[in-house]
Amino acid sequence: MVKRIDCKNLYYRHLNKIIQDEAESGETEFILDNLNGQRYLGTGINKAVNITVNGTPGSDCAVFMNGPTLTINGNAQDMIANTMNMGKITVHGNVGDVVGYGMRGGKLFIKGDVGYRAGIHMKEYKSQIPVIISGGTARDFLGEYMAGGIFILLGIGSDSEIITGDYLGTGMHGGVIYIRGDVENDTLGKEVKKLDIDEEDRRILRQYLTEYSQDFGFDVDEIMSKSFIKLLPLSSRPYENLYVY
């Protein structure tokens, strides 16, 4: 049984309560039609439910999400996957700014572009590693203060060889950023270094990009045929001198 909801003119609190109550009652499949900016979608659900969104969710979609699978047939606004813990989000469009803020687990796959400060404060713990893949381009401050996780930027369909903004990895002290193509050294934050990828990196990339390609209908071999670079932090405590211990 699938729970289908027409979200037109439905207040976000009412919508989220319907989903939460139905999930607690055992519903596992939801289709949301005519979604238009309702916030906090997927919040407070600790079950492996599937939610298909036809429309554009508002800010903080999947904040603190802990298990659901979201398929968004459209764009998404700012702060998607904020502090997400577990689950998967697939966005068949573009997303706004500050995506994956403090994200600590799960996967966020985006077909198109990301805005400013994507991947900010991402983190990981032991085997829990968050992954963000964007198929398009990114604006300034990608990976700002990143403490863990994996961010992959592909630039598919971009008319320019430059697929990132400035200040890449500013304050970064953990995790890794993979970029398909290259970046200019003067766009990097002082806390990161640019390296060629190795065989272990290729294995990681193919693992995640195979799943990503299946979700969006891409050819993983074609994606992997272009060279990648990786960005790693130079220090685990780039602002150590600001603290007393």
Side-chain angles (χ1 to χ4, degrees), residues 134-183:
S134 170
T137 61
R139 305 299 292 267
D140 296 346
F141 292 103
L142 171 63
E144 185 181 26
Y145 301 121
M146 191 171 166
I150 298 170
F151 198 112
I152 303 172
L153 186 68
L154 300 176
I156 296 172
S158 174
D159 294 330
S160 172
E161 288 295 316
I162 307 300
I163 64 172
T164 64
D166 293 329
Y167 312 109
L168 280 164
T170 297
M172 183 179 177
H173 52 282
V176 59
I177 300 172
Y178 294 107
I179 296 174
R180 184 170 172 259
D182 200 0
V183 295

Side-chain angles (χ1 to χ4, degrees), residues 83 100 102-105 119 121-125 128-130 146-149:
T83 324
M103 186 178 171
R104 56 196 183 193
H121 279 301
M122 282 176 72
K123 58 198 71 175
E124 63 187 65
Y125 181 69
Q128 194 161 329
I129 301 173
M146 191 171 166

